[in-house]
Amino acid sequence: MEDSTIAAISTPPGSGGIGVIKISGPCAINIARAIFRPGPRRPPWSGDEGENKEGFKSRRLYYGHIIEPGTDRVIDEVLFVVMRKPFSYTGEDVVEIQAHAGALVLKTILSLLIQEGARLAEPGEFTRRAFLNGRIDLTQAEAVIDIINARSPAAMDMAITQIMGGLKQAVTSLRSALADVLGEIEAAIDFSDDADIPFHPGALADRLEQDVVRHLQTLIRRHEDEDFLREGLKVVIVGGPNVGKSSLMNRLINRERAIVTEIPGTTRDFIEESFIMQGIPIVVTDTAGMHENPDPIERIGIEKAWEHVVSADLILFTMDAGRPVTPADFALFQRLEGKKCILVINKMDLPQAKKLFRLPQKWAAVPKVETSALYNRGIDALKDQMAALAGDVAGDTVHRIVPNLRQKQGLERCLASTRKAAEGLRQAVPLELISIDVREAIEALAEVTGERAGKDVLENIFSRFCIGK
Ligand SMILES: Nc1nc2c(ncn2[C@@H]2O[C@H](COP(=O)(O)OP(=O)(O)OP(=O)(O)O)[C@@H](O)[C@H]2O)c(=O)[nH]1
Ligand SMILES: [Mg+2]
């Protein structure tokens, strides 16, 4: 347990209905009580309504005023709630003050609390304490960020499943399966001379594969298929100059965001926008047209476009149906290998559409959509195709466990060690060595839940929180 008491404004800056100040730590109740005057009824510590002599009843809302100790100046009219340990977010004594949401009012209350002995909370410190006090594991702490950042119902479902311990439970049961196997291996090592104790390495290897490897693979695949729901599917529009990339971007986000002109080379820098499409959060990027003789500014734009392509989940490779495929298009297509891609054949409204345009035979396997960004045609078909390629999210995403990148990497380490152990069992590797692999597999899981996560890992996670969470 921490011995300091921390305080922060937990609601976002700006004016609103109410603003919440949160205090957590061993002196939370005393510090908050020093600036709170309940009323107009008798104070809670007077023994009213069955409260104990020590003061506030846990999780009951009290009405009253914040006053400046010493001067008795009334700062605000508030609601006040105490959550005694361990039944609070942090697992410590917590007080929440619901005040009016003016910036000055909240800051004044906060500074009174600091005067009384609290210190300002660091970003994520409440959640960090919840983690350190064993209220939640690391996967649940990470899910707190996910739920705050969730931009689609699917992302929200995913986050709440994880906050409620979905991944934690999955990892715990994998761990106990591994621990069982380790127990048997250790027993076999200890009693290796005892012929009466049967030991079947093949059966144990089967069990590792059945109970551990299979589940790990499913979880890892979930990350690959659905992690984009967290940050949004990264869609990048690329193609030659003037093919209608910016027009397409504007159609997708349904507003005239990017500049469109008939002059090739209009877009020089990239333009990024977010929107929700069929429940999927999308981050779409429009880029500079790629061609072979760019001027110095275009060249920088094209380099930036490539950076986006590298990290993209999906490419919309846009072409002009009114003219033949160019050598630059061929070069571009080649560099897109291994990327999920949709060929967008735009300007289908032109009278010369598809007269000279021929799609190379080799590209036939890539999904294609014909559009007219100018007349807003084919855009719905394009969105359907994008959704289809986004992954298996159209289905039931409720209660779905989707590990994030850090968690997936831990699961992969666990998978590698488990596989090594299973192989070792089949190939009669000395049991002492196999037990090391199984232990490593267990440790990898302990990193996922945070029991063994390094300081830098924790630092990295909690620094992504806002102050007051
Ligand atoms: N006929 C027709 N014209 C289009 C279509 N889409 C875009 N255009 C026109 O093509 C020209 C270029 O459009 P942009 O959207 O700026 O093309 P871009 O690919 O972003 O061009 P750069 O940024 O210069 O690489 C503009 O005059 C558009 O109005 C279409 O579907 N049909
Ligand atoms: Mg453009």
Side-chain angles (χ1 to χ4, degrees):
M1 284 270 172
E2 290 278 336
D3 50 12
S4 59
T5 296
I6 53 173
I9 301 168
S10 283
T11 38
S15 33
I18 57 167
V20 174
I21 292 169
K22 217 173 155 111
I23 309 129
S24 178
C27 302
I29 299 172
N30 277 341
I31 290 173
R33 183 173 151 169
I35 66 163
F36 180 63
R37 187 166 64 203
R41 299 198 332 145
R42 280 195 293 160
W45 50 83
S46 68
D48 189 21
E49 293 180 25
E51 283 100 0
N52 60 38
K53 286 274 178 299
E54 268 146 43
F56 301 91
K57 214 171 168 182
S58 190
R59 290 178 284 162
R60 165 170 297 196
L61 214 50
Y62 293 94
Y63 167 83
H65 294 90
I66 297 296
I67 46 146
E68 189 173 45
T71 67
D72 255 15
R73 181 165 77 106
V74 176
I75 307 295
D76 196 13
E77 184 186 34
V78 300
L79 291 174
F80 187 98
V81 61
V82 167
M83 286 158 274
R84 286 183 194 278
K85 72 177 183 191
F87 303 108
S88 70
Y89 184 73
T90 56
E92 305 171 329
D93 281 344
V94 167
V95 178
E96 280 183 17
I97 299 173
Q98 300 177 10
H100 292 103
L104 189 57
V105 166
L106 292 174
K107 273 192 193 145
T108 308
I109 299 173
L110 184 61
S111 61
L112 291 179
L113 292 167
I114 304 297
Q115 263 175 39
E116 292 302 312
R119 79 163 162 76
L120 284 178
E122 285 162 24
E125 199 172 358
F126 292 98
T127 311
R128 182 195 275 264
R129 287 184 173 201
F131 167 69
L132 293 174
N133 293 331
R135 288 279 295 159
I136 55 172
D137 80 339
L138 205 50
T139 68
Q140 291 169 305
E142 288 175 297
V144 171
I145 311 180
D146 289 343
I147 202 157
I148 291 172
N149 291 340
R151 277 180 294 161
S152 72
M156 224 168 75
D157 287 339
M158 212 165 87
I160 198 69
T161 301
Q162 196 158 312
I163 284 184
M164 289 166 70
L167 182 58
K168 180 185 177 183
Q169 278 158 23
V171 169
T172 307
S173 69
L174 287 169
R175 249 178 101 160
S176 76
L178 284 165
D180 286 351
V181 170
L182 183 63
E184 288 188 34
I185 291 172
E186 281 172 344
I189 294 172
D190 291 346
F191 303 105
S192 55
D193 303 333
D194 194 339
D196 292 342
I197 297 184
F199 181 69
H200 306 293
L204 220 48
D206 287 346
R207 241 168 70 194
L208 282 178
E209 266 147 24
Q210 198 59 26
D211 299 347
V212 183
V213 169
R214 222 166 35 97
H215 293 295
L216 284 169
Q217 284 170 328
T218 307
L219 287 172
I220 291 166
R221 205 169 322 116
R222 284 275 171 76
H223 168 85
E224 276 149 16
D225 292 345
E226 293 177 34
D227 182 59
F228 69 85
L229 287 171
R230 286 199 168 85
E231 310 273 323
L233 186 81
K234 201 165 177 318
V235 176
V236 179
I237 306 176
V238 297
N242 212 41
V243 297
K245 299 180 298 300
S246 300
S247 308
L248 196 65
M249 160 98 165
N250 292 344
R251 289 295 157 268
L252 284 173
I253 63 173
N254 211 7
R255 92 193 150 85
E256 302 306 310
R257 167 70 177 83
I259 299 173
V260 169
T261 74
E262 66 288 351
I263 305 161
T266 301
T267 309
R268 305 197 146 202
D269 216 338
F270 65 91
I271 297 170
E272 201 166 85
E273 282 293 323
S274 305
F275 68 104
I276 306 281
M277 183 194 81
Q278 304 181 9
I280 304 169
I282 307 268
V283 182
V284 61
T285 308
D286 175 26
T287 62
M290 296 194 180
H291 64 113
E292 276 157 341
N293 301 305
D295 67 32
I297 302 175
E298 279 182 307
R299 189 181 301 282
I300 300 169
I302 292 172
E303 276 165 20
K304 282 192 184 174
W306 276 115
E307 287 168 22
H308 284 275
V309 167
V310 170
S311 60
D313 296 312
L314 176 62
I315 305 286
L316 304 184
F317 181 3
T318 312
M319 282 164 286
D320 182 338
R323 58 172 182 69
V325 173
T326 65
D329 289 337
F330 276 100
L332 178 56
F333 187 83
Q334 237 170 9
R335 284 184 71 178
L336 293 180
E337 200 176 324
K339 282 274 165 198
K340 271 190 196 170
C341 181
I342 298 174
L343 302 175
V344 182
I345 300 154
N346 189 40
K347 305 202 186 182
M348 283 301 290
D349 57 281
L350 291 176
Q352 75 270 30
K354 288 184 111 173
K355 294 244 161 67
L356 294 172
F357 181 87
R358 289 273 170 284
L359 212 52
Q361 205 112 62
K362 274 169 88 180
W363 303 9
V366 182
K368 71 173 202 292
V369 178
E370 297 180 345
T371 59
S372 166
L374 185 63
Y375 293 106
N376 202 7
R377 300 223 186 91
I379 304 301
D380 284 341
L382 174 61
K383 287 183 176 175
D384 287 344
Q385 188 63 257
M386 287 165 67
L389 286 187
D392 181 27
V393 289
D396 179 20
T397 57
V398 181
H399 308 318
R400 182 152 286 191
I401 301 170
V402 183
N404 66 21
L405 181 62
R406 183 195 73 82
Q407 296 155 356
K408 183 202 80 156
Q409 286 167 344
L411 296 173
E412 280 173 340
R413 282 195 294 277
C414 179
L415 179 63
S417 300
T418 309
R419 276 192 169 141
K420 207 167 151 210
E423 244 165 65
L425 282 165
R426 293 197 197 289
Q427 291 169 3
V429 168
L431 290 180
E432 283 81 359
L433 295 181
I434 296 173
S435 75
I436 294 175
D437 292 328
V438 179
R439 262 197 213 101
E440 275 173 5
I442 293 174
E443 263 169 40
L445 293 181
E447 282 167 32
V448 172
T449 55
E451 280 145 89
R452 286 187 66 106
K455 211 171 160 221
D456 48 333
V457 172
L458 299 183
E459 212 50 62
N460 186 340
I461 290 170
F462 289 105
S463 65
R464 275 150 49 205
F465 279 78
C466 38
I467 288 183
K469 187 68 233 178

